């Protein structure tokens, strides 16, 4: 999702494009707000990657009657520019669960979900009303589930690999 410096991934390209469009706005009646959150799903447990990483607290997935599924207690941060998003992504990535296998020195052992919420507010001077449009983009990085015979995984690492995709069905 991030990609190397010379070949940016989907998240950096999307965020850079969003802020380029926001900065083009010269209408004083239009404003934008960008908010993000970042979580990982590891061994069927949801963990906040932008909150207090030392707590290692497991979060619960809930269902709202109107808004649909959400993660209770997930940190949602307002961001003002592309650089802030990249800094938050780097912080979150450092908190992700990774392990070394024969196929990959830093194999992602968890699924990660990066959520971006863009709110566009427009004030109508004629009616003196403000309207909002809200867009949400959920970007998902699925953990790899390489063949266990090729990874050299044994014991707990082997069991972990078998459970990687199980969390997608619960």
């Amino acid at each position: 999702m991030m990609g190397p410096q010379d070949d940016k991934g989907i998240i950096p390209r999307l965020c850079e494009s969003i802020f380029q469009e926001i900065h083009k706005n010269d209408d004083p009646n239009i404003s934008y707000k960008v908010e993000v959150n970042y979580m990982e799903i590891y061994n069927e447990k949801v963990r906040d990657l932008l909150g207090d990483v030392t707590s290692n607290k497991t979060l619960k997935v809930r269902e709202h009657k109107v808004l649909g599924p959400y993660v209770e207690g997930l940190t949602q941060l307002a961001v003002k520019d592309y650089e802030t998003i990249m800094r938050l992504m780097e912080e979150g990535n450092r908190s992700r669960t990774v392990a070394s296998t024969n196929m990959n020195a830093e194999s992602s052992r968890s699924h990660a979900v990066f959520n971006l919420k863009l709110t566009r507010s427009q004030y109508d001077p004629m009616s003196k009303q403000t309207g909002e449009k809200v867009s949400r983009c959920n970007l998902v990085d699925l953990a790899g589930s390489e063949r266990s015979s090729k990874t050299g995984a044994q014991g707990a690492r082997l069991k972990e690999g078998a459970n990687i995709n199980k969390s997608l069905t619960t």
Side-chain angles (χ1 to χ4, degrees):
M1 287 194 329
M2 294 300 291
Q5 287 292 76
D6 60 337
D7 187 21
K8 292 178 184 174
I10 187 71
I11 291 177
R13 287 185 290 149
L14 174 68
C15 294
E16 191 172 44
S17 176
I18 286 171
F19 281 105
Q20 284 173 352
E21 291 302 313
I22 288 173
H23 292 305
K24 286 181 186 176
N25 174 45
D26 58 356
D27 186 338
N29 294 316
I30 296 176
S31 64
Y32 295 91
K33 182 166 94 173
V34 179
E35 298 169 279
V36 298
N37 63 53
Y38 195 24
M39 69 183 119
E40 83 170 341
I41 304 168
Y42 173 68
N43 279 342
E44 301 183 55
K45 294 182 175 132
V46 178
R47 200 166 64 90
D48 191 345
L49 293 175
L50 298 180
D52 180 11
V53 294
T54 59
S55 76
N56 230 5
K57 181 181 170 189
T58 300
L59 303 176
K60 295 192 184 297
V61 177
R62 303 283 190 206
E63 182 90 25
H64 188 277
K65 289 180 182 179
V66 176
L67 301 175
Y70 70 97
V71 177
E72 186 176 54
L74 185 63
T75 303
Q76 178 117 346
L77 300 172
V79 291
K80 61 180 171 50
D81 55 31
Y82 169 76
E83 291 74 21
T84 303
I85 288 183
M86 291 298 93
R87 184 180 50 75
L88 291 171
M89 282 295 302
E90 288 170 10
E91 286 177 25
N93 286 338
R94 282 194 295 274
S95 300
R96 282 193 67 187
T97 304
V98 295
S100 179
T101 70
N102 288 347
M103 293 180 71
N104 188 345
E106 282 197 8
S107 179
S108 167
R109 310 314 288 165
S110 65
H111 307 297
V113 182
F114 181 79
N115 299 299
L116 189 136
K117 178 180 168 186
L118 173 64
T119 305
R120 178 184 187 264
S121 299
Q122 183 167 2
Y123 176 73
D124 180 9
M126 300 276 272
S127 67
K128 299 190 183 333
Q129 298 288 319
T130 300
E132 284 188 346
K133 290 182 182 177
V134 178
S135 299
R136 296 177 192 270
C137 185
N138 302 307
L139 299 159
V140 181
D141 181 18
L142 298 175
S145 58
E146 304 100 353
R147 291 192 178 274
S148 58
S149 61
K150 292 184 179 181
T151 64
Q154 298 176 354
R157 188 71 60 228
L158 181 62
K159 185 178 178 184
E160 175 190 65
N163 283 326
I164 281 177
N165 289 330
K166 185 179 178 184
S167 61
L168 295 176
T169 60
T170 38

